[in-house]
Amino acid sequence: MRLVLASNNAKKLSELRALFGGLPLDLVAQGTLDIAEADEPHHTFVENALAKARQAAAASGGAAIADDSGLCVHALGGAPGVISAHFAGEVPDSPGEDREARRRRQDAANNACLLERLAGIADRRAHFISTLVALRHADDPEPLVAVGRWPGEILLAPRGEQGFGYDPLMHIPALGATVAELAADVKNQHSHRARAAAQMRGLLREAWHLG
């Protein structure tokens, strides 16, 4: 079964392919089908994920899945939340720069903004959240919804070279490392996306009779 991922994030595609391994799914990025990214105007992760999945399903004429994820910091009232990807505002385009290079610059700006907002604040509690929504078709009346949370704390400075986004700042006390210091297989065992994907695997088997 082809399942269109409503994202063009290569690392997210790789993570989800690994997390859905063993299911009879061909997970493809929407960009390979020339599907544009959906607007994300909503204030909650689940509404944005549903909007993205619905657009990808309508454009592809079949099943789609979307992940809306981000970082929620306790001392900031849940911010950056749904604007995690652009917490510092959109970085300007740079001539000749590819998508992944621009994303790395955006990540660096977001991390710097977060550290500035938390300067002098002792409470560094935070969690990553991933909300997955899957649709059989654009008008599916029964979207599958799975949510995973991964608690940790924000460090004073980044550590590690793996992952993306806020991974270098997010320390997981139970693992004694930042997310960016974890090997990919370890991250895929413990992450917010892994927890949401585990729920989604069960829903896909139960509701869509896959696997």
Side-chain angles (χ1 to χ4, degrees):
M1 175 182 184
R2 188 181 74 174
L3 187 62
V4 177
L5 174 62
S7 173
N8 293 316
N9 185 322
K11 291 187 177 181
K12 185 178 290 189
L13 176 66
S14 178
E15 283 188 11
L16 286 173
R17 278 177 171 166
L19 291 166
F20 287 141
L23 290 177
L25 290 173
D26 178 21
L27 190 64
V28 299
Q30 63 182 8
T32 63
L33 304 175
D34 295 323
I35 299 173
E37 292 191 353
D39 292 332
E40 301 177 47
H42 304 291
H43 297 292
T44 66
F45 293 104
V46 66
E47 289 174 296
N48 283 331
L50 180 58
K52 290 188 285 187
R54 183 168 285 137
Q55 174 171 300
S60 67
I65 188 168
D67 164 64
D68 202 52
S69 55
L71 177 71
C72 295
V73 179
H74 180 74
L76 301 181
V82 295
I83 64 166
S84 292
H86 305 103
F87 191 39
E90 293 269 3
V91 298
D93 289 331
S94 179
E97 185 178 48
D98 65 23
R99 183 182 185 85
E100 288 306 308
R102 187 176 189 277
R103 188 181 298 278
R104 287 193 295 271
R105 284 199 302 114
Q106 183 72 63
D107 288 347
N110 292 338
N111 283 324
C113 181
L114 178 61
L115 289 177
E116 182 179 350
R117 290 281 300 273
L118 286 174
I121 297 177
D123 183 358
R124 316 286 287 194
R125 288 175 295 166
H127 64 269
F128 279 134
I129 183 168
S130 170
T131 300
L132 290 171
V133 173
L135 299 170
R136 291 166 293 187
H137 50 82
D139 298 320
D140 192 342
E142 188 185 8
L144 304 183
V145 181
V147 179
R149 293 178 178 83
W150 196 16
E153 58 191 18
I154 303 300
L155 296 183
L156 297 174
R159 285 189 353 216
E161 302 296 331
Q162 306 301 316
F164 56 94
Y166 299 94
D167 289 357
L169 288 177
M170 184 63 154
H171 183 257
I172 309 299
L175 299 176
T178 67
V179 178
E181 292 175 314
L182 299 176
D185 60 336
V186 176
K187 179 180 179 180
N188 283 346
Q189 290 173 17
H190 298 278
S191 75
H192 53 307
R193 195 163 292 117
R195 298 176 188 201
Q199 291 180 27
M200 183 58 74
R201 287 178 69 101
L203 291 171
L204 289 169
R205 290 193 180 101
E206 177 185 354
W208 291 10
H209 308 294
L210 295 178

